[in-house]
């Protein structure tokens, strides 16, 4: 089975079209105002309007209240809500039940103990996402999309009861190694396909998805 790819933080039509035409399984739209990848619901609706049904649209939120989620959903038909903040398992459960949309919960990783936190979300989320945890002394760190990589070897031997996605500093150059070491079947990139924070590089998107297509599992 081919490795599936998610291109996150898309903010212009060319990048969306490139991701879709080169085989992305998921596209990510960021609704976190502090992110350089943030877009408003109106633009998100335009970008999502021609995305085919076989490509899932994921809305990224960070510790959102219900009003923000509802406001976005009134404009954009999302297939997934991605929670990339410090949402508790109970909060994840409430969001999933209230809005009736699949939830992708991000867990930040710096050491193997962080995977224990992930276990607490298995019964309330539909998928997990493992991203690199930013060090406390990192200036202007974001909840995700910092271009950091964690040690994929920590994932060897781990099992989860729901699907999971690997993120954190993935590029066309390192994604094959990441998949080989971690066993990931789905991968996510954002900063790894950018020319600068918030500006996607269509050539890098195409190269990343081409690299996925060449991985033999």
């Amino acid at each position: 089975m081919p490795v599936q790819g998610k291109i996150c933080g898309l903010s212009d039509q060319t990048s969306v079209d490139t991701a879709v035409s080169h085989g992305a399984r998921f596209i990510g739209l960021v609704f976190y105002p502090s992110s350089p990848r943030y877009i408003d619901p109106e633009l998100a609706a335009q970008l999502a309007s021609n995305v085919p049904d076989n490509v899932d649209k994921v809305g990224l939120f960070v510790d959102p209240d219900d009003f923000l989620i509802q406001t976005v959903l009134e404009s954009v038909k999302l297939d997934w809500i991605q929670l990339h903040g410090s949402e508790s398992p109970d909060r994840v459960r409430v969001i999933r039940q209230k809005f009736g949309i699949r939830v992708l919960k991000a867990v930040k990783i710096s050491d193997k103990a962080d995977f224990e936190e992930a276990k607490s979300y298995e019964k309330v989320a539909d998928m997990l996402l493992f991203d690199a945890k930013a060090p406390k002394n990192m200036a202007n760190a974001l909840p995700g999309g910092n271009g950091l990589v964690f040690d994929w070897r920590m994932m060897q031997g781990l099992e989860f009861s729901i699907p999971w996605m690997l993120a954190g500093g993935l590029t066309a150059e390192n994604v094959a190694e990441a998949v080989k070491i971690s066993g990931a079947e789905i991968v996510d990139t954002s900063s790894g396909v950018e020319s600068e924070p918030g500006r996607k590089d269509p050539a890098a998107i195409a190269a990343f998805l081409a690299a996925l297509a060449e991985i033999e599992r």
Side-chain angles (χ1 to χ4, degrees), residues 27-146:
I27 63 163
L29 307 169
V30 174
F31 301 106
Y32 176 55
S34 297
S35 171
R37 304 167 185 99
Y38 169 78
I39 57 175
D40 61 44
E42 290 73 22
L43 175 56
Q46 293 176 24
L47 297 179
S49 62
N50 292 319
V51 173
D53 291 340
N54 64 328
V55 179
D56 284 4
K57 297 175 287 294
V58 183
L60 186 153
F61 300 84
V62 177
D63 298 306
D65 57 23
D66 289 354
F67 179 77
L68 174 59
I69 297 174
Q70 185 62 48
T71 299
V72 171
L73 292 179
E74 287 173 357
S75 295
V76 190
K77 185 180 183 301
L78 296 176
D79 300 294
W80 294 80
I81 291 173
Q82 178 174 334
L83 297 174
H84 217 99
S86 57
E87 302 88 2
S88 68
D90 187 60
R91 178 61 177 150
V92 173
R93 178 186 58 79
V94 168
I95 289 174
R96 186 176 180 230
Q97 291 180 346
K98 181 178 180 67
F99 295 102
I101 295 177
R102 290 171 291 179
V103 171
L104 170 61
K105 177 64 181 104
V107 180
K108 285 87 166 184
I109 305 296
S110 63
D111 56 52
K112 200 156 187 173
D114 291 321
F115 288 103
E116 289 303 311
E117 177 187 355
K119 294 288 186 181
S120 65
Y121 293 98
E122 287 184 291
K123 293 184 179 180
V124 295
D126 297 278
M127 188 183 298
L128 300 171
L129 181 147
F130 300 118
D131 196 3
K133 183 184 293 184
K136 293 182 180 180
N137 61 353
M138 183 177 179
N140 302 314
L142 294 166
N146 294 301

